[in-house]
Every structure is written in C-alpha cells, then in structure tokens.
Amino acid sequence: MDLAQFTPATWIGASLALVVAAGIIWVGISYIVSPTATSQGFGFTTEITPEVTPWQHIKGPRDIVSGLVVVAMLVFFGPAAAAVILLVEALIPIGDALMIFRNHGRPAVALGVHASTATVMIVAAVLLFF
C-alpha cells in the first residue's frame, strides 16, 4: 500500500472501511461462538430452533472472510480496489435488510443495523476513490 496516494478523504474512507471490516469479523466470530444469541439480534422475529444452528455456523466464517477481503484489498491493492469491494459487499447488508422486511422482521434492525451498515460502506467506498 502506497500511503502517498492517500488524501484526507481516502484516510477517512479507509478508517470507515476498517471499522466496517472489524465489525463484520466480530459478527462472524460471534456466530461461531454464540450462534443463537447472535441470531436473535439479526432482525427476524421467529424463534431460533436447533434446526437452524448449522446455518448459523455457516454464516460465521462467511462474515469473517467478508471482512478480511476488505482489509486485504486495502492493504495489498489500494484504496480503489477496496472501494470496489465495499460497493459489491454493500449488497450483503442491503439484501439482509430486504429479507428482514420480506419476512416481517424488525424494521428498526433492518434499517438501523443493515441499511446503515450498507450506507457507511458506500460512503467509505466513495471516499476511497478520492
């Protein structure tokens, strides 16, 4: 990573990107360590049953990798590459929010967690392009 190519906007974008990456890595670890408790905060209102536990375990590593991809792109390929990845990965929390709405989950979580995460990711991506 060539730090000389960083502008003040790029630094802010990189900081936001790293916060989002750390957050989703933390969520992934939480799904591995305590899947039921973590799932309860996702936004769905249905009961968490033992039948869904394997799906909860699958979500953990995928979230961890999603965060690590952002970090790797920023460190090894620079701000523009990380921006593109953030824009693509912003589709994940957008999809999460839409699924919560579709399944009559908690709108506050759909908007307050998932949609706001997507918004921060998009803002970070835009700043990384400067």
Side-chain angles (χ1 to χ4, degrees), residues 66-113:
S66 292
L68 291 174
V69 166
V70 172
V71 174
M73 294 306 279
L74 185 60
V75 171
F76 295 108
F77 298 100
V84 171
I85 291 300
L86 279 170
L87 289 174
V88 172
E89 286 192 358
L91 294 172
I92 297 169
I94 291 169
D96 292 345
L98 292 173
M99 289 303 105
I100 291 169
F101 282 123
R102 180 179 183 204
N103 291 285
H104 311 291
R106 294 189 297 269
V109 176
L111 295 173
V113 174

Side-chain angles (χ1 to χ4, degrees), residues 8 10-12 18-19 24 32 34 46 51 55 58 64 73 77 82 95-96 98 104 110 119 122:
T10 310
W11 279 109
I12 294 168
L18 291 173
V19 166
I24 198 60
I32 292 171
S34 182
T46 55
E51 292 81 18
W55 296 106
I58 289 171
I64 293 168
M73 294 306 279
F77 298 100
D96 292 345
L98 292 173
H104 311 291
T119 302
I122 292 166

